[in-house]
């Protein structure tokens, strides 16, 4: 039964060495390792959380950028449309202006032409009258002596000839 | 290529494990003629004052170990065990060859009376404990220094440190945290020390040559001290609720008063727990060592039965020894695991809080 009776000497050595081993390892051995393992676990968990957060942020940013892009595209379309509208408006305005300007110029030109025509006509009429007088003078010189009689005669004749009697010529 | 080398190395190591003791035993049996299996096994399982390393031919190579005894008559004595060889007496001490103290150091008093002095000799098992402790402390402190030199953000360890970390995490996360409960940090160093001490001693016991091969965890003094440590951890730091459940458990009153049936059973349970721890570890390791030794002994017993039977049984015995060694590797881990787990569970039970 020697195997089943604890020996006093062995008990002493075992208590001594196990005690020393326990004290040494409990102070400098296991706590260092378990703390590190726990810390590493926490660190990994944190890293995972951070990665997940970053991923979520990235997705958010992607979504945001997409909306921004869509908005920009919309804006662009709007601006383009506005530009086209403005252009059309401007063209329309310019056209209208041109039309009115043209009309004004035309009417002005017409008035001027009218005036010039009238001046020319008057001129012509005067010249004609002059020529006629001269002609008539030459003719009448032979028959009429009174110039005044000549003029009256001529004017009557001219009036019955010309389509537009000129007010200026009557004076 | 590296894998092949590793396999080869493993096979060679396993063969060495079985053949080295075989060689040692072979020379033993040659010198004494007949082989006493029982004596061989018991000599290995028990303790000795010298560390027998190998017998080569007829010369025994053994390490003499210091004998430290205290005599009530003449005080402390320290001398090497080689002084007591072949029945020699030294300073009134000699090794008993018969009687109650056979194999132990006894003192012959001036009156002629033979008594056993207080003996704290550094015996083979004691030396084994010291060597195992020293190696274990070196290993764990070496590993922990790896952590001291690094930051949390560094990579996890690989190789040997990684393997030790894996074991620590297995025990720490697998046993201590779930079994002990809230105060697991307080008990973790003790439980981890117990686990590694048992596991490492078991492994060293399986190494067949010096400085291994000592039956440390198969010795009752060692398992008793370990179990007593758990006993202290459980009962000294037990909560008030734990003691209430023992002394006044929640059972019908007639079971605890006037005859304290349940309290007696519970009190008895306090002592059966460490006893079970002691015997479980002791018996497992002792049985493993015995079976391996017995299988090796088969080689020498059948040696005299002729070449054919002897040869074939040698092959069988070597194969069985290899199998047993593998099994003992498993047992080395399992017993350390079981001891730690039960200790953790007992500690967890002693930390109970008020119900509700």
């Amino acid at each position: 039964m020697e195997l089943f009776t604890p020996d006093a000497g062995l008990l002493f050595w075992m208590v001594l060495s196990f005690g020393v081993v326990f004290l040494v390892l409990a102070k400098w051995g296991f706590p260092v390792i378990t703390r590190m393992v726990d810390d590493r676990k926490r660190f990994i968990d944190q890293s995972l959380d951070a990665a997940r957060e970053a991923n979520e942020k990235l997705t958010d940013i992607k979504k945001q950028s997409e909306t921004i892009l869509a908005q920009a595209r919309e804006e662009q379309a709007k601006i383009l449309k506005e530009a086209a509208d403005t252009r059309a408006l401007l063209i329309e305005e310019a056209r209208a202006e041109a039309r009115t300007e043209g009309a004004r110029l035309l009417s002005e030109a017409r008035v001027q032409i009218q005036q010039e025509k009238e001046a020319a006509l008057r001129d012509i009429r005067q010249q004609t009258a002059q020529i006629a007088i001269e002609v008539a003078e030459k003719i009448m010189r032979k028959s009429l002596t009174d110039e005044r009689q000549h003029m009256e005669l001529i004017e009557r004749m001219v009036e019955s000839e010309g389509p537009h009697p000129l007010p200026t010529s009557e004076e | 290529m590296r894998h092949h080398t590793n396999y080869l190395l493993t096979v060679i190591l396993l063969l060495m494990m079985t053949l080295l003791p075989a060689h040692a035993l072979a020379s033993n049996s040659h010198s004494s003629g007949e082989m006493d299996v029982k004596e061989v096994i018991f000599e290995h399982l028990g303790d000795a004052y010298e560390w027998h390393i190998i017998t080569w031919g007829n010369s025994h190579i053994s390490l003499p170990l210091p004998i430290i005894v205290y005599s009530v008559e003449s005080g402390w004595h320290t001398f090497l065990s080689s002084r007591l060889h072949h029945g020699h007496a030294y300073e009134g001490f000699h090794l008993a060859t018969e009687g109650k103290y056979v194999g132990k150091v006894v003192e012959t008093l001036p009156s002629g009376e033979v008594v056993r002095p207080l003996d704290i000799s550094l015996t083979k098992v004691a030396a084994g404990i010291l060597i195992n402790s020293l190696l274990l402390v070196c290993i764990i402190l070496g590993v922990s220094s790896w952590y001291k030199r690094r930051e949390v953000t560094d990579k996890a360890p690989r190789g040997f440190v990684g393997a030790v970390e894996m074991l620590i995490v297995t025990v720490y996360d697998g046993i201590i945290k779930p079994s002990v409960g809230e105060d697991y940090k307080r008990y973790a160093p003790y439980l981890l020390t117990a686990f590694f001490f048992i596991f490492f001693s078991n492994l060293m016991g399986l190494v067949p040559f010096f400085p291994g091969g000592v039956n440390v965890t198969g010795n009752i003094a060692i398992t008793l001290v370990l179990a007593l440590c758990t006993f202290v951890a459980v009962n000294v730091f037990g909560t008030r609720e734990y003691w209430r459940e023992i002394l006044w458990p929640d059972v019908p009153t007639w079971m605890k008063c006037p005859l304290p049936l349940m309290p007696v059973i519970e009190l008895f349970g306090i002592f059966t727990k460490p006893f079970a721890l002691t015997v479980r570890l002791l018996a497992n390791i002792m049985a493993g060592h015995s079976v391996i030794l017995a299988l090796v002994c088969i080689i020498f017993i059948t040696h005299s039965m002729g070449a054919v039977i002897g040869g074939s049984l040698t092959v069988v015995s070597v194969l069985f020894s290899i199998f047993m060694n593998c099994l003992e590797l498993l047992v080395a881990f399992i017993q350390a695991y079981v001891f730690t787990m039960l200790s953790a569970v007992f500690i967890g039970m002693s930390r109970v809080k008020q119900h509700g």
Side-chain angles (χ1 to χ4, degrees), chain B residues 163-175 191-192 194-206 217 280-281 284-285 289 324-342:
Chain B
V164 174
E165 186 190 302
M166 185 206 72
L167 278 175
I168 291 176
V169 170
T170 306
V171 176
Y172 190 57
D173 285 348
I175 300 175
L191 291 168
L192 282 167
F195 175 83
F196 276 93
F197 189 88
I198 297 170
F199 184 49
F200 191 68
S201 296
N202 287 349
L203 288 184
M204 286 296 281
L206 289 178
T217 35
R280 184 181 297 107
L281 181 58
N284 271 286
I285 304 306
H289 280 247
M324 275 310 292
N325 267 304
C326 294
L327 192 70
E328 281 308 301
L329 278 179
L330 195 66
V331 170
F333 178 78
I334 290 173
Q335 286 310 316
Y337 192 88
V338 165
F339 188 96
T340 315
M341 192 179 69
L342 287 176

Short mmCIF file of all heavy atoms in Angstrom, two decimals, chain B residues 163-175 191-192 194-206 217 280-281 284-285 289 324-342:
data_model
loop_
_atom_site.label_atom_id
_atom_site.label_comp_id
_atom_site.label_asym_id
_atom_site.label_seq_id
_atom_site.Cartn_x
_atom_site.Cartn_y
_atom_site.Cartn_z
N ALA B 163 1.08 27.79 -29.92
CA ALA B 163 0.53 26.54 -29.38
C ALA B 163 0.20 26.69 -27.91
O ALA B 163 -0.87 26.28 -27.45
CB ALA B 163 1.53 25.41 -29.58
N VAL B 164 1.12 27.33 -27.15
CA VAL B 164 0.85 27.53 -25.72
C VAL B 164 -0.36 28.44 -25.54
O VAL B 164 -1.21 28.21 -24.68
CB VAL B 164 2.11 28.11 -25.01
CG1 VAL B 164 1.78 28.45 -23.57
CG2 VAL B 164 3.25 27.12 -25.07
N GLU B 165 -0.43 29.47 -26.40
CA GLU B 165 -1.57 30.37 -26.29
C GLU B 165 -2.87 29.63 -26.56
O GLU B 165 -3.88 29.84 -25.88
CB GLU B 165 -1.45 31.54 -27.27
CG GLU B 165 -2.57 32.54 -27.04
CD GLU B 165 -2.66 33.59 -28.13
OE1 GLU B 165 -1.68 34.29 -28.34
OE2 GLU B 165 -3.73 33.69 -28.75
N MET B 166 -2.81 28.72 -27.55
CA MET B 166 -4.01 27.94 -27.86
C MET B 166 -4.46 27.14 -26.63
O MET B 166 -5.65 27.11 -26.29
CB MET B 166 -3.72 27.01 -29.02
CG MET B 166 -4.92 26.25 -29.51
SD MET B 166 -4.44 24.71 -30.29
CE MET B 166 -3.94 23.76 -28.89
N LEU B 167 -3.49 26.50 -25.95
CA LEU B 167 -3.83 25.73 -24.74
C LEU B 167 -4.42 26.65 -23.67
O LEU B 167 -5.43 26.33 -23.04
CB LEU B 167 -2.57 25.06 -24.19
CG LEU B 167 -2.17 23.75 -24.85
CD1 LEU B 167 -0.83 23.28 -24.29
CD2 LEU B 167 -3.22 22.70 -24.59
N ILE B 168 -3.76 27.80 -23.48
CA ILE B 168 -4.23 28.72 -22.44
C ILE B 168 -5.65 29.18 -22.76
O ILE B 168 -6.52 29.21 -21.89
CB ILE B 168 -3.27 29.93 -22.33
CG1 ILE B 168 -1.94 29.47 -21.74
CG2 ILE B 168 -3.88 31.02 -21.45
CD1 ILE B 168 -0.89 30.54 -21.67
N VAL B 169 -5.88 29.51 -24.03
CA VAL B 169 -7.21 30.00 -24.40
C VAL B 169 -8.25 28.89 -24.26
O VAL B 169 -9.38 29.13 -23.82
CB VAL B 169 -7.18 30.56 -25.84
CG1 VAL B 169 -8.59 30.84 -26.33
CG2 VAL B 169 -6.36 31.83 -25.87
N THR B 170 -7.83 27.64 -24.60
CA THR B 170 -8.74 26.51 -24.43
C THR B 170 -9.21 26.41 -22.98
O THR B 170 -10.40 26.26 -22.69
CB THR B 170 -8.04 25.20 -24.82
OG1 THR B 170 -7.51 25.35 -26.12
CG2 THR B 170 -9.00 24.03 -24.77
N VAL B 171 -8.24 26.50 -22.05
CA VAL B 171 -8.59 26.38 -20.64
C VAL B 171 -9.33 27.62 -20.16
O VAL B 171 -10.34 27.54 -19.46
CB VAL B 171 -7.30 26.16 -19.80
CG1 VAL B 171 -7.63 26.13 -18.33
CG2 VAL B 171 -6.64 24.87 -20.21
N TYR B 172 -8.83 28.78 -20.58
CA TYR B 172 -9.37 30.05 -20.08
C TYR B 172 -10.80 30.29 -20.57
O TYR B 172 -11.70 30.57 -19.78
CB TYR B 172 -8.44 31.16 -20.57
CG TYR B 172 -8.66 32.52 -19.97
CD1 TYR B 172 -8.61 32.72 -18.59
CD2 TYR B 172 -8.90 33.62 -20.78
CE1 TYR B 172 -8.79 33.97 -18.05
CE2 TYR B 172 -9.07 34.87 -20.25
CZ TYR B 172 -9.03 35.04 -18.88
OH TYR B 172 -9.20 36.28 -18.34
N ASP B 173 -10.99 30.13 -21.86
CA ASP B 173 -12.32 30.39 -22.43
C ASP B 173 -13.24 29.19 -22.32
O ASP B 173 -14.45 29.33 -22.22
CB ASP B 173 -12.20 30.79 -23.91
CG ASP B 173 -11.70 32.21 -24.06
OD1 ASP B 173 -11.69 32.91 -23.04
OD2 ASP B 173 -11.32 32.60 -25.17
N GLY B 174 -12.63 27.98 -22.37
CA GLY B 174 -13.45 26.76 -22.41
C GLY B 174 -13.84 26.27 -21.04
O GLY B 174 -14.89 25.63 -20.88
N ILE B 175 -12.99 26.50 -20.03
CA ILE B 175 -13.28 25.96 -18.70
C ILE B 175 -13.55 27.09 -17.70
O ILE B 175 -14.59 27.15 -17.07
CB ILE B 175 -12.10 25.11 -18.17
CG1 ILE B 175 -11.81 23.94 -19.10
CG2 ILE B 175 -12.39 24.62 -16.79
CD1 ILE B 175 -10.59 23.16 -18.70
N LEU B 191 -6.04 28.06 -11.63
CA LEU B 191 -6.53 26.96 -12.47
C LEU B 191 -5.58 26.71 -13.64
O LEU B 191 -5.31 25.56 -14.01
CB LEU B 191 -7.93 27.28 -12.97
CG LEU B 191 -9.00 27.27 -11.87
CD1 LEU B 191 -10.30 27.86 -12.35
CD2 LEU B 191 -9.22 25.84 -11.38
N LEU B 192 -5.05 27.79 -14.22
CA LEU B 192 -4.11 27.62 -15.32
C LEU B 192 -2.82 26.96 -14.84
O LEU B 192 -2.28 26.07 -15.51
CB LEU B 192 -3.79 28.98 -15.96
CG LEU B 192 -4.86 29.51 -16.91
CD1 LEU B 192 -4.61 30.98 -17.22
CD2 LEU B 192 -4.87 28.72 -18.19
N ALA B 194 -2.53 24.93 -12.29
CA ALA B 194 -2.85 23.52 -12.04
C ALA B 194 -2.87 22.75 -13.35
O ALA B 194 -2.27 21.68 -13.48
CB ALA B 194 -4.19 23.39 -11.32
N PHE B 195 -3.55 23.31 -14.35
CA PHE B 195 -3.66 22.63 -15.64
C PHE B 195 -2.28 22.37 -16.23
O PHE B 195 -1.95 21.24 -16.61
CB PHE B 195 -4.49 23.45 -16.62
CG PHE B 195 -4.53 22.86 -18.00
CD1 PHE B 195 -5.41 21.85 -18.31
CD2 PHE B 195 -3.65 23.29 -18.99
CE1 PHE B 195 -5.43 21.28 -19.56
CE2 PHE B 195 -3.65 22.73 -20.25
CZ PHE B 195 -4.55 21.73 -20.53
N PHE B 196 -1.46 23.42 -16.30
CA PHE B 196 -0.17 23.26 -16.95
C PHE B 196 0.76 22.39 -16.14
O PHE B 196 1.56 21.63 -16.69
CB PHE B 196 0.46 24.62 -17.24
CG PHE B 196 -0.06 25.20 -18.52
CD1 PHE B 196 -1.14 26.05 -18.52
CD2 PHE B 196 0.50 24.85 -19.73
CE1 PHE B 196 -1.65 26.56 -19.70
CE2 PHE B 196 0.00 25.35 -20.91
CZ PHE B 196 -1.07 26.20 -20.90
N PHE B 197 0.67 22.47 -14.80
CA PHE B 197 1.52 21.62 -13.97
C PHE B 197 1.19 20.15 -14.23
O PHE B 197 2.07 19.33 -14.47
CB PHE B 197 1.32 21.96 -12.49
CG PHE B 197 2.30 21.29 -11.59
CD1 PHE B 197 3.51 21.87 -11.32
CD2 PHE B 197 2.02 20.04 -11.05
CE1 PHE B 197 4.43 21.24 -10.50
CE2 PHE B 197 2.93 19.40 -10.23
CZ PHE B 197 4.15 20.00 -9.96
N ILE B 198 -0.10 19.83 -14.23
CA ILE B 198 -0.50 18.44 -14.44
C ILE B 198 -0.16 17.99 -15.85
O ILE B 198 0.44 16.93 -16.07
CB ILE B 198 -2.01 18.27 -14.16
CG1 ILE B 198 -2.32 18.58 -12.71
CG2 ILE B 198 -2.47 16.86 -14.49
CD1 ILE B 198 -3.79 18.69 -12.40
N PHE B 199 -0.53 18.81 -16.82
CA PHE B 199 -0.32 18.44 -18.22
C PHE B 199 1.16 18.24 -18.49
O PHE B 199 1.58 17.24 -19.09
CB PHE B 199 -0.90 19.54 -19.12
CG PHE B 199 -0.82 19.23 -20.58
CD1 PHE B 199 -1.26 18.01 -21.06
CD2 PHE B 199 -0.32 20.15 -21.47
CE1 PHE B 199 -1.20 17.72 -22.42
CE2 PHE B 199 -0.25 19.87 -22.82
CZ PHE B 199 -0.69 18.66 -23.30
N PHE B 200 1.98 19.18 -18.02
CA PHE B 200 3.41 19.10 -18.29
C PHE B 200 4.03 17.91 -17.57
O PHE B 200 4.86 17.19 -18.13
CB PHE B 200 4.08 20.41 -17.87
CG PHE B 200 5.49 20.54 -18.35
CD1 PHE B 200 5.77 20.68 -19.69
CD2 PHE B 200 6.54 20.50 -17.45
CE1 PHE B 200 7.06 20.79 -20.14
CE2 PHE B 200 7.85 20.61 -17.90
CZ PHE B 200 8.11 20.76 -19.24
N SER B 201 3.61 17.68 -16.32
CA SER B 201 4.14 16.53 -15.59
C SER B 201 3.73 15.22 -16.25
O SER B 201 4.53 14.29 -16.34
CB SER B 201 3.64 16.54 -14.15
OG SER B 201 4.12 17.66 -13.47
N ASN B 202 2.49 15.17 -16.74
CA ASN B 202 2.03 13.97 -17.44
C ASN B 202 2.91 13.71 -18.66
O ASN B 202 3.32 12.58 -18.92
CB ASN B 202 0.59 14.14 -17.91
CG ASN B 202 -0.40 14.07 -16.76
OD1 ASN B 202 -0.02 13.70 -15.66
ND2 ASN B 202 -1.64 14.43 -17.02
N LEU B 203 3.17 14.77 -19.44
CA LEU B 203 3.97 14.61 -20.65
C LEU B 203 5.38 14.20 -20.29
O LEU B 203 5.95 13.29 -20.92
CB LEU B 203 4.00 15.92 -21.44
CG LEU B 203 2.71 16.31 -22.14
CD1 LEU B 203 2.92 17.58 -22.94
CD2 LEU B 203 2.24 15.21 -23.06
N MET B 204 5.96 14.83 -19.28
CA MET B 204 7.33 14.48 -18.88
C MET B 204 7.38 13.04 -18.40
O MET B 204 8.38 12.35 -18.61
CB MET B 204 7.80 15.41 -17.76
CG MET B 204 8.13 16.81 -18.21
SD MET B 204 9.50 16.89 -19.36
CE MET B 204 10.88 16.73 -18.23
N GLY B 205 6.30 12.58 -17.77
CA GLY B 205 6.26 11.19 -17.32
C GLY B 205 6.30 10.21 -18.48
O GLY B 205 6.74 9.07 -18.34
N LEU B 206 5.85 10.65 -19.66
CA LEU B 206 5.83 9.76 -20.81
C LEU B 206 7.18 9.71 -21.52
O LEU B 206 7.44 8.81 -22.31
CB LEU B 206 4.75 10.20 -21.81
CG LEU B 206 3.31 9.97 -21.35
CD1 LEU B 206 2.35 10.48 -22.39
CD2 LEU B 206 3.08 8.50 -21.10
N THR B 217 2.74 12.66 -11.56
CA THR B 217 1.30 12.83 -11.33
C THR B 217 0.61 11.52 -10.98
O THR B 217 -0.57 11.50 -10.69
CB THR B 217 0.64 13.44 -12.57
OG1 THR B 217 1.30 12.94 -13.72
CG2 THR B 217 0.72 14.95 -12.55
N ARG B 280 -8.67 10.17 -9.00
CA ARG B 280 -8.88 10.09 -10.45
C ARG B 280 -7.56 10.29 -11.20
O ARG B 280 -7.17 9.49 -12.03
CB ARG B 280 -9.90 11.12 -10.91
CG ARG B 280 -10.22 11.02 -12.38
CD ARG B 280 -11.20 12.06 -12.83
NE ARG B 280 -12.50 11.90 -12.16
CZ ARG B 280 -12.96 12.71 -11.22
NH1 ARG B 280 -12.23 13.74 -10.84
NH2 ARG B 280 -14.12 12.50 -10.68
N LEU B 281 -6.88 11.37 -10.86
CA LEU B 281 -5.62 11.67 -11.54
C LEU B 281 -4.59 10.59 -11.26
O LEU B 281 -3.96 10.05 -12.18
CB LEU B 281 -5.12 13.05 -11.09
CG LEU B 281 -3.84 13.54 -11.72
CD1 LEU B 281 -3.98 13.62 -13.22
CD2 LEU B 281 -3.49 14.92 -11.18
N ASN B 284 -5.43 7.21 -13.04
CA ASN B 284 -5.28 7.26 -14.49
C ASN B 284 -3.82 7.21 -14.91
O ASN B 284 -3.44 6.45 -15.80
CB ASN B 284 -5.92 8.52 -15.04
CG ASN B 284 -7.38 8.30 -15.36
OD1 ASN B 284 -7.69 7.64 -16.33
ND2 ASN B 284 -8.25 8.80 -14.51
N ILE B 285 -3.02 8.03 -14.28
CA ILE B 285 -1.62 8.11 -14.69
C ILE B 285 -0.88 6.84 -14.29
O ILE B 285 -0.11 6.26 -15.06
CB ILE B 285 -0.94 9.35 -14.08
CG1 ILE B 285 -1.72 10.61 -14.48
CG2 ILE B 285 0.49 9.45 -14.53
CD1 ILE B 285 -1.92 10.78 -15.97
N HIS B 289 1.06 4.23 -16.87
CA HIS B 289 2.47 3.83 -16.74
C HIS B 289 2.59 2.33 -16.59
O HIS B 289 3.45 1.70 -17.20
CB HIS B 289 3.09 4.53 -15.53
CG HIS B 289 3.47 5.96 -15.81
ND1 HIS B 289 4.77 6.38 -15.83
CD2 HIS B 289 2.74 7.05 -16.10
CE1 HIS B 289 4.82 7.67 -16.11
NE2 HIS B 289 3.58 8.10 -16.27
N MET B 324 -0.41 2.51 -26.83
CA MET B 324 -0.61 2.97 -25.46
C MET B 324 0.02 4.34 -25.24
O MET B 324 -0.53 5.19 -24.53
CB MET B 324 -0.02 1.97 -24.46
CG MET B 324 -0.94 0.83 -24.09
SD MET B 324 -2.58 1.37 -23.61
CE MET B 324 -2.21 2.21 -22.08
N ASN B 325 1.19 4.56 -25.85
CA ASN B 325 1.83 5.86 -25.68
C ASN B 325 0.98 6.97 -26.28
O ASN B 325 0.85 8.05 -25.71
CB ASN B 325 3.22 5.84 -26.34
CG ASN B 325 4.28 5.47 -25.33
OD1 ASN B 325 4.40 6.12 -24.31
ND2 ASN B 325 5.02 4.42 -25.61
N CYS B 326 0.39 6.66 -27.46
CA CYS B 326 -0.50 7.66 -28.07
C CYS B 326 -1.69 7.91 -27.16
O CYS B 326 -2.11 9.05 -26.94
CB CYS B 326 -0.98 7.18 -29.44
SG CYS B 326 0.35 7.06 -30.62
N LEU B 327 -2.23 6.81 -26.63
CA LEU B 327 -3.38 6.93 -25.74
C LEU B 327 -3.02 7.74 -24.50
O LEU B 327 -3.79 8.59 -24.04
CB LEU B 327 -3.84 5.53 -25.32
CG LEU B 327 -5.20 5.47 -24.64
CD1 LEU B 327 -6.29 5.78 -25.64
CD2 LEU B 327 -5.43 4.11 -24.02
N GLU B 328 -1.81 7.50 -23.99
CA GLU B 328 -1.38 8.22 -22.78
C GLU B 328 -1.18 9.70 -23.07
O GLU B 328 -1.38 10.53 -22.18
CB GLU B 328 -0.09 7.60 -22.22
CG GLU B 328 -0.35 6.33 -21.45
CD GLU B 328 -1.40 6.51 -20.38
OE1 GLU B 328 -1.23 7.36 -19.50
OE2 GLU B 328 -2.43 5.80 -20.44
N LEU B 329 -0.77 10.03 -24.30
CA LEU B 329 -0.68 11.45 -24.67
C LEU B 329 -2.06 12.09 -24.54
O LEU B 329 -2.20 13.19 -24.02
CB LEU B 329 -0.20 11.59 -26.11
CG LEU B 329 1.30 11.49 -26.35
CD1 LEU B 329 1.60 11.62 -27.83
CD2 LEU B 329 2.03 12.58 -25.58
N LEU B 330 -3.04 11.35 -25.02
CA LEU B 330 -4.42 11.84 -24.93
C LEU B 330 -4.84 11.96 -23.46
O LEU B 330 -5.40 12.97 -23.04
CB LEU B 330 -5.33 10.87 -25.68
CG LEU B 330 -6.73 11.35 -26.00
CD1 LEU B 330 -6.65 12.47 -26.99
CD2 LEU B 330 -7.55 10.20 -26.56
N VAL B 331 -4.52 10.90 -22.69
CA VAL B 331 -4.91 10.88 -21.28
C VAL B 331 -4.21 12.02 -20.53
O VAL B 331 -4.81 12.66 -19.65
CB VAL B 331 -4.56 9.51 -20.65
CG1 VAL B 331 -4.71 9.55 -19.14
CG2 VAL B 331 -5.47 8.43 -21.22
N ALA B 332 -2.97 12.29 -20.91
CA ALA B 332 -2.22 13.37 -20.26
C ALA B 332 -3.00 14.67 -20.36
O ALA B 332 -3.12 15.41 -19.38
CB ALA B 332 -0.84 13.52 -20.91
N PHE B 333 -3.54 14.91 -21.55
CA PHE B 333 -4.32 16.15 -21.73
C PHE B 333 -5.67 16.04 -21.03
O PHE B 333 -6.08 16.95 -20.30
CB PHE B 333 -4.51 16.43 -23.21
CG PHE B 333 -5.34 17.65 -23.48
CD1 PHE B 333 -4.80 18.92 -23.35
CD2 PHE B 333 -6.68 17.53 -23.80
CE1 PHE B 333 -5.56 20.03 -23.55
CE2 PHE B 333 -7.45 18.65 -24.02
CZ PHE B 333 -6.89 19.90 -23.89
N ILE B 334 -6.33 14.92 -21.23
CA ILE B 334 -7.69 14.79 -20.70
C ILE B 334 -7.70 14.90 -19.18
O ILE B 334 -8.54 15.59 -18.59
CB ILE B 334 -8.32 13.44 -21.14
CG1 ILE B 334 -8.60 13.48 -22.63
CG2 ILE B 334 -9.60 13.16 -20.38
CD1 ILE B 334 -9.06 12.16 -23.19
N GLN B 335 -6.74 14.25 -18.51
CA GLN B 335 -6.74 14.28 -17.05
C GLN B 335 -6.46 15.68 -16.52
O GLN B 335 -7.08 16.13 -15.55
CB GLN B 335 -5.75 13.27 -16.48
CG GLN B 335 -6.25 11.84 -16.59
CD GLN B 335 -7.66 11.67 -16.06
OE1 GLN B 335 -8.02 12.17 -15.01
NE2 GLN B 335 -8.50 10.97 -16.82
N ALA B 336 -5.53 16.38 -17.19
CA ALA B 336 -5.27 17.77 -16.79
C ALA B 336 -6.53 18.60 -17.00
O ALA B 336 -6.91 19.42 -16.16
CB ALA B 336 -4.11 18.33 -17.60
N TYR B 337 -7.20 18.36 -18.13
CA TYR B 337 -8.41 19.10 -18.47
C TYR B 337 -9.51 18.82 -17.45
O TYR B 337 -10.17 19.73 -16.95
CB TYR B 337 -8.85 18.67 -19.87
CG TYR B 337 -9.91 19.54 -20.49
CD1 TYR B 337 -9.56 20.67 -21.22
CD2 TYR B 337 -11.25 19.22 -20.37
CE1 TYR B 337 -10.52 21.46 -21.81
CE2 TYR B 337 -12.23 20.02 -20.95
CZ TYR B 337 -11.85 21.13 -21.66
OH TYR B 337 -12.80 21.92 -22.25
N VAL B 338 -9.67 17.53 -17.13
CA VAL B 338 -10.74 17.13 -16.20
C VAL B 338 -10.48 17.71 -14.81
O VAL B 338 -11.39 18.26 -14.18
CB VAL B 338 -10.86 15.59 -16.15
CG1 VAL B 338 -11.68 15.16 -14.95
CG2 VAL B 338 -11.46 15.07 -17.43
N PHE B 339 -9.23 17.61 -14.36
CA PHE B 339 -8.91 18.15 -13.03
C PHE B 339 -9.23 19.64 -12.98
O PHE B 339 -9.89 20.12 -12.06
CB PHE B 339 -7.42 17.93 -12.73
CG PHE B 339 -7.04 18.28 -11.32
CD1 PHE B 339 -6.98 17.32 -10.34
CD2 PHE B 339 -6.75 19.60 -10.98
CE1 PHE B 339 -6.64 17.65 -9.05
CE2 PHE B 339 -6.42 19.94 -9.69
CZ PHE B 339 -6.36 18.96 -8.71
N THR B 340 -8.79 20.36 -14.02
CA THR B 340 -9.02 21.81 -14.04
C THR B 340 -10.50 22.12 -14.12
O THR B 340 -11.01 23.02 -13.45
CB THR B 340 -8.30 22.42 -15.25
OG1 THR B 340 -7.00 21.88 -15.33
CG2 THR B 340 -8.21 23.91 -15.14
N MET B 341 -11.21 21.34 -14.95
CA MET B 341 -12.64 21.61 -15.13
C MET B 341 -13.41 21.37 -13.83
O MET B 341 -14.23 22.21 -13.42
CB MET B 341 -13.20 20.74 -16.24
CG MET B 341 -14.58 21.17 -16.68
SD MET B 341 -15.19 20.14 -17.99
CE MET B 341 -15.44 18.64 -17.11
N LEU B 342 -13.11 20.24 -13.18
CA LEU B 342 -13.83 19.96 -11.94
C LEU B 342 -13.50 20.99 -10.88
O LEU B 342 -14.37 21.47 -10.16
CB LEU B 342 -13.50 18.55 -11.45
CG LEU B 342 -14.16 17.45 -12.28
CD1 LEU B 342 -13.71 16.08 -11.80
CD2 LEU B 342 -15.67 17.55 -12.18
#
